[in-house]
Structures are given as C-alpha cells and as structure tokens.
C-alpha cells in the first residue's frame, strides 16, 4: 500500500482484513474510516454507531498517535470487529468469541 493520505490507506487496510473476517463468518459493514482524535487520551481507536452521523453511516476513528502501521492495522481490525458483531456487545459475548477465532 503506497498512499499519500491516511484515509485511502485505511480503506485499503480494511479490504486486506476482509478475508480474515470471512474466515470466521463475518463481513465488515460499509462505512467511513478516518484518522482522528478519540475520546480520552488513552484510546487509540473508536467505532461509532450509524446514528451518530448525519447520513446514518458507521464510523471508525483511528488515533493519529499511532505511528506503527501494524498497530494501526490491528486497531482497525479491532474496531471493524465491533461493527461486524454489533457495538452493543462491547468486548463481551460475540466480540470475544470472534476475536479469539
């Protein structure tokens, strides 16, 4: 991946993660992925529900504090998993099961 801007790189990263999700029977929902500040100084990624955006689109934010591309991809995978299993589960139930898979 050789993109100048972060968002196209993140979108390409999402495409690269799709086979991993398919392997455990999940799909990554369509939505926007952006680099941006997260709530609280310790958070490096956030998945926002569709109702938080004006056009009802799921959103993922990845902190610009992360410099390591592999950590960015790992964070993106984590946030995509939240959307794939449902944000209402937090880190329990289906999220935990699929994360271990």
């Amino acid at each position: 991946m050789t993109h100048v801007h972060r968002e196209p790189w993140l979108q390409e990263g999402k495409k690269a993660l799709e086979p991993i999700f398919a392997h455990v029977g999940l799909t990554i929902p369509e939505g926007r992925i952006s680099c941006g500040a997260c709530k609280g100084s310790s958070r490096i990624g956030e998945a926002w529900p569709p109702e938080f955006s004006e056009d009802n689109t799921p959103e993922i934010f990845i902190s610009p504090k992360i410099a390591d591309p592999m950590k960015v991809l790992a964070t993106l995978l984590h946030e995509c998993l939240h959307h794939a299993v449902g944000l209402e589960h937090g880190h329990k139930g289906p999220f935990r099961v699929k994360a271990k898979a």
Side-chain angles (χ1 to χ4, degrees):
M1 293 183 276
T2 56
H3 297 287
V4 175
H5 299 288
R6 295 171 175 166
E7 280 74 13
W9 190 92
L10 290 167
Q11 287 294 337
E12 197 67 31
K14 177 186 164 211
K15 286 180 189 173
L17 295 173
E18 288 173 351
I20 295 169
F21 280 73
H23 182 72
V24 296
L26 294 173
T27 58
I28 304 170
E30 292 299 317
R32 283 188 284 271
I33 305 169
S34 302
C35 186
C38 299
K39 293 185 252 173
S41 60
S42 64
R43 291 191 182 181
I44 58 173
E46 289 184 340
W48 286 26
E51 59 269 17
F52 279 31
S53 66
E54 187 175 335
D55 62 355
N56 208 39
T57 301
E59 306 268 359
I60 291 176
F61 296 97
I62 305 295
S63 173
K65 291 180 181 181
I66 309 171
D68 179 0
M70 292 307 290
K71 190 168 183 177
V72 171
L73 220 59
T75 304
L76 178 60
L77 183 147
H78 179 99
E79 301 308 332
C80 286
L81 184 56
H82 277 300
H83 277 298
V85 301
L87 297 175
E88 68 275 10
H89 299 293
H91 292 114
K92 297 180 181 176
F95 180 92
R96 187 174 177 86
V97 170
K98 293 298 184 176
K100 287 183 176 185

